[in-house]
Amino acid sequence: MDQAQRAALRAGAVVAAAAAQALIPSVVPLVGVDREEQRRGDTPITPPPYAFSIWGPIFAASIANAVQQALPAHRGEPVNEVGGWPLAGAHALNAAWALAAQPGRFETTPFVLAGAVACAATAYRQQQREEAPGISRLAPASTGLLLGWISLASVVNTASVVQELGAEPDAPLVTATWTAAAVAVAGVAGATILRSRHGYLPLAASVGWGLGTTAATSERPRLARAGALAGTAIVAAASVARLLRARPW
């Protein structure tokens, strides 16, 4: 198999996985307002129902990136080469998450989602090493948007599973534990933003959206809302610092 054939195979995998990621959960509504994770045990850190509409932009960005990677003129772009396979893995595992969650095998979903986060993080890290000219900017942008949301979703999903297994959601220690985990995601996201060359604003937007909407939800415990607000501030501060560093003076 020559280089052109390998590039075509990689692009095909990204297209197929991105399509599966969008289509499989569409058995429920496309943008996710009624997604399975919302019907699971409500946790102290679960974003409000409308926050899950972010899946619409995530699906759209992922498909747009898959299309640009499939274009013959862009298959060989280094940023597509280095991140293509792990990104395809992230999309495929998100599709697998939807399959695992809906038939009642919810206990397996934290492992599937953690794998998706690992794949997306690998793709994002690899993409930072390369330039992303023109339309190929969709690669780090779509990956950052996906990575930010599923990183936070992984914590929420795990909290839901632990709760289903018997943890008391209103217990102060439970609230403190999951709030700390959500703030930790914000801290890691902030550090990643500061080290990023591109794609960091979509990453910040998806993490900030999840935490910000949680902070604005009056039904959440005061500690969880305070932690979500702190996490939002961490991500916002890192984004401003990164933008100021890139700005010529």
mmCIF file of all heavy atoms in Angstrom, residues 107-149:
data_model
loop_
_atom_site.group_PDB
_atom_site.id
_atom_site.type_symbol
_atom_site.label_atom_id
_atom_site.label_comp_id
_atom_site.label_asym_id
_atom_site.label_seq_id
_atom_site.Cartn_x
_atom_site.Cartn_y
_atom_site.Cartn_z
ATOM 1 N N GLU A 107 -23.256 0.503 32.883
ATOM 2 C CA GLU A 107 -22.089 0.351 33.758
ATOM 3 C C GLU A 107 -20.784 0.293 32.977
ATOM 4 O O GLU A 107 -19.705 0.532 33.531
ATOM 5 C CB GLU A 107 -22.233 -0.911 34.623
ATOM 6 C CG GLU A 107 -23.348 -0.843 35.662
ATOM 7 C CD GLU A 107 -24.726 -1.065 35.052
ATOM 8 O OE1 GLU A 107 -24.793 -1.397 33.847
ATOM 9 O OE2 GLU A 107 -25.725 -0.892 35.771
ATOM 10 N N THR A 108 -20.846 -0.060 31.697
ATOM 11 C CA THR A 108 -19.627 -0.146 30.884
ATOM 12 C C THR A 108 -19.227 1.204 30.285
ATOM 13 O O THR A 108 -18.117 1.345 29.774
ATOM 14 C CB THR A 108 -19.818 -1.148 29.729
ATOM 15 O OG1 THR A 108 -20.799 -0.637 28.807
ATOM 16 C CG2 THR A 108 -20.274 -2.506 30.250
ATOM 17 N N THR A 109 -20.121 2.180 30.318
ATOM 18 C CA THR A 109 -19.883 3.416 29.582
ATOM 19 C C THR A 109 -18.707 4.251 30.077
ATOM 20 O O THR A 109 -18.065 4.909 29.258
ATOM 21 C CB THR A 109 -21.154 4.284 29.543
ATOM 22 O OG1 THR A 109 -21.594 4.546 30.884
ATOM 23 C CG2 THR A 109 -22.264 3.590 28.767
ATOM 24 N N PRO A 110 -18.375 4.272 31.387
ATOM 25 C CA PRO A 110 -17.208 5.071 31.774
ATOM 26 C C PRO A 110 -15.920 4.628 31.090
ATOM 27 O O PRO A 110 -15.070 5.462 30.742
ATOM 28 C CB PRO A 110 -17.127 4.858 33.299
ATOM 29 C CG PRO A 110 -18.519 4.559 33.705
ATOM 30 C CD PRO A 110 -19.084 3.750 32.584
ATOM 31 N N PHE A 111 -15.776 3.312 30.873
ATOM 32 C CA PHE A 111 -14.565 2.808 30.223
ATOM 33 C C PHE A 111 -14.536 3.196 28.746
ATOM 34 O O PHE A 111 -13.485 3.560 28.204
ATOM 35 C CB PHE A 111 -14.496 1.288 30.384
ATOM 36 C CG PHE A 111 -14.579 0.836 31.812
ATOM 37 C CD1 PHE A 111 -15.765 0.338 32.329
ATOM 38 C CD2 PHE A 111 -13.477 0.945 32.646
ATOM 39 C CE1 PHE A 111 -15.849 -0.070 33.656
ATOM 40 C CE2 PHE A 111 -13.550 0.540 33.977
ATOM 41 C CZ PHE A 111 -14.740 0.038 34.487
ATOM 42 N N VAL A 112 -15.701 3.126 28.096
ATOM 43 C CA VAL A 112 -15.775 3.499 26.684
ATOM 44 C C VAL A 112 -15.485 4.985 26.518
ATOM 45 O O VAL A 112 -14.705 5.396 25.645
ATOM 46 C CB VAL A 112 -17.160 3.162 26.100
ATOM 47 C CG1 VAL A 112 -17.254 3.588 24.647
ATOM 48 C CG2 VAL A 112 -17.447 1.671 26.240
ATOM 49 N N LEU A 113 -16.081 5.808 27.372
ATOM 50 C CA LEU A 113 -15.900 7.250 27.248
ATOM 51 C C LEU A 113 -14.476 7.663 27.606
ATOM 52 O O LEU A 113 -13.907 8.575 26.993
ATOM 53 C CB LEU A 113 -16.914 7.980 28.135
ATOM 54 C CG LEU A 113 -17.192 9.451 27.804
ATOM 55 C CD1 LEU A 113 -17.488 9.631 26.324
ATOM 56 C CD2 LEU A 113 -18.338 9.974 28.647
ATOM 57 N N ALA A 114 -13.875 6.975 28.575
ATOM 58 C CA ALA A 114 -12.475 7.261 28.903
ATOM 59 C C ALA A 114 -11.571 6.951 27.713
ATOM 60 O O ALA A 114 -10.601 7.686 27.441
ATOM 61 C CB ALA A 114 -12.041 6.443 30.116
ATOM 62 N N GLY A 115 -11.883 5.889 26.982
ATOM 63 C CA GLY A 115 -11.120 5.576 25.776
ATOM 64 C C GLY A 115 -11.277 6.650 24.720
ATOM 65 O O GLY A 115 -10.314 7.013 24.031
ATOM 66 N N ALA A 116 -12.500 7.177 24.581
ATOM 67 C CA ALA A 116 -12.732 8.254 23.622
ATOM 68 C C ALA A 116 -11.939 9.504 24.001
ATOM 69 O O ALA A 116 -11.352 10.171 23.126
ATOM 70 C CB ALA A 116 -14.224 8.578 23.549
ATOM 71 N N VAL A 117 -11.904 9.819 25.290
ATOM 72 C CA VAL A 117 -11.125 10.975 25.750
ATOM 73 C C VAL A 117 -9.642 10.771 25.448
ATOM 74 O O VAL A 117 -8.955 11.689 24.964
ATOM 75 C CB VAL A 117 -11.339 11.208 27.263
ATOM 76 C CG1 VAL A 117 -10.373 12.282 27.784
ATOM 77 C CG2 VAL A 117 -12.776 11.620 27.544
ATOM 78 N N ALA A 118 -9.134 9.574 25.705
ATOM 79 C CA ALA A 118 -7.720 9.287 25.446
ATOM 80 C C ALA A 118 -7.393 9.444 23.963
ATOM 81 O O ALA A 118 -6.354 10.019 23.600
ATOM 82 C CB ALA A 118 -7.374 7.882 25.928
ATOM 83 N N CYS A 119 -8.270 8.950 23.102
ATOM 84 C CA CYS A 119 -8.040 9.066 21.659
ATOM 85 C C CYS A 119 -8.099 10.520 21.208
ATOM 86 O O CYS A 119 -7.245 10.978 20.428
ATOM 87 C CB CYS A 119 -9.074 8.248 20.893
ATOM 88 S SG CYS A 119 -8.835 6.468 20.971
ATOM 89 N N ALA A 120 -9.091 11.255 21.678
ATOM 90 C CA ALA A 120 -9.217 12.664 21.290
ATOM 91 C C ALA A 120 -8.035 13.474 21.801
ATOM 92 O O ALA A 120 -7.512 14.355 21.098
ATOM 93 C CB ALA A 120 -10.529 13.241 21.824
ATOM 94 N N ALA A 121 -7.582 13.178 23.025
ATOM 95 C CA ALA A 121 -6.425 13.891 23.580
ATOM 96 C C ALA A 121 -5.164 13.592 22.782
ATOM 97 O O ALA A 121 -4.337 14.482 22.536
ATOM 98 C CB ALA A 121 -6.230 13.503 25.045
ATOM 99 N N THR A 122 -5.011 12.348 22.358
ATOM 100 C CA THR A 122 -3.861 11.976 21.530
ATOM 101 C C THR A 122 -3.891 12.725 20.201
ATOM 102 O O THR A 122 -2.871 13.274 19.751
ATOM 103 C CB THR A 122 -3.851 10.462 21.277
ATOM 104 O OG1 THR A 122 -3.750 9.778 22.524
ATOM 105 C CG2 THR A 122 -2.682 10.067 20.384
ATOM 106 N N ALA A 123 -5.058 12.754 19.559
ATOM 107 C CA ALA A 123 -5.188 13.473 18.287
ATOM 108 C C ALA A 123 -4.870 14.951 18.466
ATOM 109 O O ALA A 123 -4.126 15.544 17.675
ATOM 110 C CB ALA A 123 -6.601 13.298 17.736
ATOM 111 N N TYR A 124 -5.423 15.550 19.516
ATOM 112 C CA TYR A 124 -5.207 16.979 19.765
ATOM 113 C C TYR A 124 -3.729 17.272 20.014
ATOM 114 O O TYR A 124 -3.173 18.233 19.480
ATOM 115 C CB TYR A 124 -6.057 17.418 20.956
ATOM 116 C CG TYR A 124 -6.034 18.902 21.220
ATOM 117 C CD1 TYR A 124 -6.865 19.764 20.506
ATOM 118 C CD2 TYR A 124 -5.188 19.444 22.181
ATOM 119 C CE1 TYR A 124 -6.857 21.126 20.753
ATOM 120 C CE2 TYR A 124 -5.169 20.812 22.431
ATOM 121 C CZ TYR A 124 -6.010 21.645 21.715
ATOM 122 O OH TYR A 124 -5.989 23.001 21.956
ATOM 123 N N ARG A 125 -3.094 16.449 20.815
ATOM 124 C CA ARG A 125 -1.667 16.654 21.098
ATOM 125 C C ARG A 125 -0.822 16.534 19.831
ATOM 126 O O ARG A 125 0.079 17.334 19.593
ATOM 127 C CB ARG A 125 -1.195 15.632 22.144
ATOM 128 C CG ARG A 125 0.256 15.858 22.574
ATOM 129 C CD ARG A 125 0.680 14.884 23.655
ATOM 130 N NE ARG A 125 0.696 13.513 23.186
ATOM 131 C CZ ARG A 125 -0.159 12.569 23.558
ATOM 132 N NH1 ARG A 125 -1.119 12.863 24.413
ATOM 133 N NH2 ARG A 125 -0.062 11.342 23.086
ATOM 134 N N GLN A 126 -1.118 15.546 19.017
ATOM 135 C CA GLN A 126 -0.373 15.363 17.773
ATOM 136 C C GLN A 126 -0.580 16.540 16.822
ATOM 137 O O GLN A 126 0.351 16.973 16.137
ATOM 138 C CB GLN A 126 -0.820 14.070 17.082
ATOM 139 C CG GLN A 126 -0.573 12.804 17.890
ATOM 140 C CD GLN A 126 0.857 12.317 17.813
ATOM 141 O OE1 GLN A 126 1.779 13.005 18.223
ATOM 142 N NE2 GLN A 126 1.045 11.140 17.256
ATOM 143 N N GLN A 127 -1.793 17.057 16.783
ATOM 144 C CA GLN A 127 -2.100 18.167 15.891
ATOM 145 C C GLN A 127 -1.353 19.438 16.263
ATOM 146 O O GLN A 127 -1.084 20.278 15.389
ATOM 147 C CB GLN A 127 -3.609 18.435 15.891
ATOM 148 C CG GLN A 127 -4.423 17.345 15.212
ATOM 149 C CD GLN A 127 -5.883 17.383 15.594
ATOM 150 O OE1 GLN A 127 -6.286 18.129 16.491
ATOM 151 N NE2 GLN A 127 -6.701 16.571 14.927
ATOM 152 N N GLN A 128 -1.005 19.578 17.531
ATOM 153 C CA GLN A 128 -0.293 20.783 17.962
ATOM 154 C C GLN A 128 1.115 20.855 17.375
ATOM 155 O O GLN A 128 1.721 21.928 17.332
ATOM 156 C CB GLN A 128 -0.219 20.848 19.493
ATOM 157 C CG GLN A 128 -1.554 20.822 20.194
ATOM 158 C CD GLN A 128 -2.531 21.840 19.654
ATOM 159 O OE1 GLN A 128 -2.222 23.027 19.550
ATOM 160 N NE2 GLN A 128 -3.730 21.374 19.284
ATOM 161 N N ARG A 129 1.639 19.740 16.920
ATOM 162 C CA ARG A 129 3.004 19.704 16.399
ATOM 163 C C ARG A 129 3.100 20.193 14.961
ATOM 164 O O ARG A 129 4.205 20.389 14.442
ATOM 165 C CB ARG A 129 3.549 18.276 16.480
ATOM 166 C CG ARG A 129 3.574 17.712 17.887
ATOM 167 C CD ARG A 129 3.980 16.249 17.880
ATOM 168 N NE ARG A 129 3.952 15.686 19.224
ATOM 169 C CZ ARG A 129 4.128 14.409 19.503
ATOM 170 N NH1 ARG A 129 4.355 13.550 18.515
ATOM 171 N NH2 ARG A 129 4.077 13.971 20.746
ATOM 172 N N GLU A 130 1.948 20.341 14.309
ATOM 173 C CA GLU A 130 1.941 20.679 12.889
ATOM 174 C C GLU A 130 1.219 21.998 12.644
ATOM 175 O O GLU A 130 0.404 22.437 13.446
ATOM 176 C CB GLU A 130 1.241 19.561 12.090
ATOM 177 C CG GLU A 130 1.801 18.178 12.302
ATOM 178 C CD GLU A 130 3.217 18.010 11.763
ATOM 179 O OE1 GLU A 130 3.656 18.862 10.942
ATOM 180 O OE2 GLU A 130 3.887 17.032 12.158
ATOM 181 N N GLU A 131 1.529 22.614 11.513
ATOM 182 C CA GLU A 131 0.775 23.777 11.072
ATOM 183 C C GLU A 131 -0.607 23.324 10.605
ATOM 184 O O GLU A 131 -0.790 22.180 10.175
ATOM 185 C CB GLU A 131 1.497 24.491 9.932
ATOM 186 C CG GLU A 131 2.862 25.059 10.312
ATOM 187 C CD GLU A 131 2.758 26.172 11.343
ATOM 188 O OE1 GLU A 131 1.698 26.848 11.383
ATOM 189 O OE2 GLU A 131 3.722 26.362 12.107
ATOM 190 N N ALA A 132 -1.574 24.247 10.676
ATOM 191 C CA ALA A 132 -2.925 23.928 10.229
ATOM 192 C C ALA A 132 -3.404 25.053 9.317
ATOM 193 O O ALA A 132 -4.202 25.909 9.723
ATOM 194 C CB ALA A 132 -3.857 23.750 11.417
ATOM 195 N N PRO A 133 -2.928 25.053 8.066
ATOM 196 C CA PRO A 133 -3.294 26.140 7.157
ATOM 197 C C PRO A 133 -4.686 25.973 6.560
ATOM 198 O O PRO A 133 -5.160 24.857 6.353
ATOM 199 C CB PRO A 133 -2.226 26.037 6.058
ATOM 200 C CG PRO A 133 -1.892 24.570 6.027
ATOM 201 C CD PRO A 133 -2.008 24.099 7.450
ATOM 202 N N GLY A 134 -5.337 27.098 6.290
ATOM 203 C CA GLY A 134 -6.606 27.077 5.579
ATOM 204 C C GLY A 134 -7.663 26.204 6.224
ATOM 205 O O GLY A 134 -7.876 26.203 7.433
ATOM 206 N N ILE A 135 -8.315 25.413 5.373
ATOM 207 C CA ILE A 135 -9.426 24.585 5.826
ATOM 208 C C ILE A 135 -8.987 23.475 6.773
ATOM 209 O O ILE A 135 -9.790 22.930 7.527
ATOM 210 C CB ILE A 135 -10.164 23.999 4.600
ATOM 211 C CG1 ILE A 135 -11.541 23.467 5.000
ATOM 212 C CG2 ILE A 135 -9.327 22.921 3.925
ATOM 213 C CD1 ILE A 135 -12.363 22.996 3.825
ATOM 214 N N SER A 136 -7.693 23.152 6.758
ATOM 215 C CA SER A 136 -7.209 22.105 7.655
ATOM 216 C C SER A 136 -7.258 22.536 9.120
ATOM 217 O O SER A 136 -7.063 21.720 10.016
ATOM 218 C CB SER A 136 -5.795 21.675 7.286
ATOM 219 O OG SER A 136 -4.880 22.723 7.494
ATOM 220 N N ARG A 137 -7.542 23.816 9.367
ATOM 221 C CA ARG A 137 -7.748 24.268 10.752
ATOM 222 C C ARG A 137 -8.940 23.567 11.393
ATOM 223 O O ARG A 137 -9.067 23.565 12.621
ATOM 224 C CB ARG A 137 -7.972 25.779 10.771
ATOM 225 C CG ARG A 137 -6.754 26.601 10.407
ATOM 226 C CD ARG A 137 -7.083 28.070 10.335
ATOM 227 N NE ARG A 137 -5.948 28.843 9.860
ATOM 228 C CZ ARG A 137 -6.004 30.129 9.502
ATOM 229 N NH1 ARG A 137 -7.166 30.768 9.579
ATOM 230 N NH2 ARG A 137 -4.933 30.762 9.079
ATOM 231 N N LEU A 138 -9.807 23.022 10.556
ATOM 232 C CA LEU A 138 -10.937 22.274 11.100
ATOM 233 C C LEU A 138 -10.485 21.084 11.937
ATOM 234 O O LEU A 138 -11.206 20.653 12.842
ATOM 235 C CB LEU A 138 -11.832 21.777 9.963
ATOM 236 C CG LEU A 138 -12.799 22.798 9.354
ATOM 237 C CD1 LEU A 138 -13.381 22.263 8.054
ATOM 238 C CD2 LEU A 138 -13.893 23.148 10.353
ATOM 239 N N ALA A 139 -9.298 20.546 11.639
ATOM 240 C CA ALA A 139 -8.835 19.360 12.377
ATOM 241 C C ALA A 139 -8.646 19.666 13.862
ATOM 242 O O ALA A 139 -9.307 19.054 14.711
ATOM 243 C CB ALA A 139 -7.566 18.791 11.748
ATOM 244 N N PRO A 140 -7.759 20.615 14.229
ATOM 245 C CA PRO A 140 -7.623 20.901 15.666
ATOM 246 C C PRO A 140 -8.851 21.563 16.270
ATOM 247 O O PRO A 140 -9.145 21.361 17.456
ATOM 248 C CB PRO A 140 -6.396 21.819 15.726
ATOM 249 C CG PRO A 140 -6.299 22.430 14.375
ATOM 250 C CD PRO A 140 -6.785 21.378 13.431
ATOM 251 N N ALA A 141 -9.580 22.344 15.469
ATOM 252 C CA ALA A 141 -10.767 23.013 16.009
ATOM 253 C C ALA A 141 -11.846 22.007 16.397
ATOM 254 O O ALA A 141 -12.409 22.056 17.498
ATOM 255 C CB ALA A 141 -11.314 24.011 14.992
ATOM 256 N N SER A 142 -12.138 21.074 15.495
ATOM 257 C CA SER A 142 -13.179 20.084 15.800
ATOM 258 C C SER A 142 -12.728 19.137 16.903
ATOM 259 O O SER A 142 -13.529 18.719 17.745
ATOM 260 C CB SER A 142 -13.539 19.288 14.536
ATOM 261 O OG SER A 142 -12.450 18.515 14.082
ATOM 262 N N THR A 143 -11.429 18.814 16.915
ATOM 263 C CA THR A 143 -10.916 17.930 17.964
ATOM 264 C C THR A 143 -10.976 18.609 19.323
ATOM 265 O O THR A 143 -11.349 17.985 20.330
ATOM 266 C CB THR A 143 -9.476 17.505 17.652
ATOM 267 O OG1 THR A 143 -9.422 16.926 16.350
ATOM 268 C CG2 THR A 143 -8.976 16.487 18.666
ATOM 269 N N GLY A 144 -10.615 19.892 19.372
ATOM 270 C CA GLY A 144 -10.680 20.626 20.632
ATOM 271 C C GLY A 144 -12.093 20.711 21.174
ATOM 272 O O GLY A 144 -12.328 20.541 22.381
ATOM 273 N N LEU A 145 -13.059 20.975 20.284
ATOM 274 C CA LEU A 145 -14.459 21.060 20.703
ATOM 275 C C LEU A 145 -14.933 19.728 21.282
ATOM 276 O O LEU A 145 -15.580 19.680 22.338
ATOM 277 C CB LEU A 145 -15.321 21.454 19.506
ATOM 278 C CG LEU A 145 -16.789 21.759 19.776
ATOM 279 C CD1 LEU A 145 -16.940 23.002 20.641
ATOM 280 C CD2 LEU A 145 -17.547 21.938 18.460
ATOM 281 N N LEU A 146 -14.591 18.648 20.602
ATOM 282 C CA LEU A 146 -14.972 17.311 21.072
ATOM 283 C C LEU A 146 -14.273 16.968 22.382
ATOM 284 O O LEU A 146 -14.913 16.504 23.342
ATOM 285 C CB LEU A 146 -14.616 16.280 20.003
ATOM 286 C CG LEU A 146 -14.816 14.808 20.378
ATOM 287 C CD1 LEU A 146 -16.291 14.494 20.577
ATOM 288 C CD2 LEU A 146 -14.218 13.896 19.304
ATOM 289 N N LEU A 147 -12.973 17.204 22.436
ATOM 290 C CA LEU A 147 -12.192 16.834 23.619
ATOM 291 C C LEU A 147 -12.690 17.536 24.867
ATOM 292 O O LEU A 147 -12.827 16.921 25.935
ATOM 293 C CB LEU A 147 -10.720 17.148 23.382
ATOM 294 C CG LEU A 147 -9.768 16.932 24.562
ATOM 295 C CD1 LEU A 147 -9.779 15.475 25.012
ATOM 296 C CD2 LEU A 147 -8.355 17.377 24.198
ATOM 297 N N GLY A 148 -12.964 18.834 24.751
ATOM 298 C CA GLY A 148 -13.414 19.569 25.924
ATOM 299 C C GLY A 148 -14.700 19.019 26.499
ATOM 300 O O GLY A 148 -14.825 18.811 27.711
ATOM 301 N N TRP A 149 -15.661 18.738 25.617
ATOM 302 C CA TRP A 149 -16.954 18.270 26.104
ATOM 303 C C TRP A 149 -16.887 16.861 26.669
ATOM 304 O O TRP A 149 -17.424 16.583 27.743
ATOM 305 C CB TRP A 149 -17.992 18.344 24.992
ATOM 306 C CG TRP A 149 -19.341 17.892 25.445
ATOM 307 C CD1 TRP A 149 -19.966 16.732 25.144
ATOM 308 C CD2 TRP A 149 -20.231 18.589 26.324
ATOM 309 N NE1 TRP A 149 -21.183 16.651 25.750
ATOM 310 C CE2 TRP A 149 -21.383 17.781 26.493
ATOM 311 C CE3 TRP A 149 -20.166 19.822 26.983
ATOM 312 C CZ2 TRP A 149 -22.455 18.166 27.298
ATOM 313 C CZ3 TRP A 149 -21.245 20.200 27.782
ATOM 314 C CH2 TRP A 149 -22.365 19.391 27.938
#
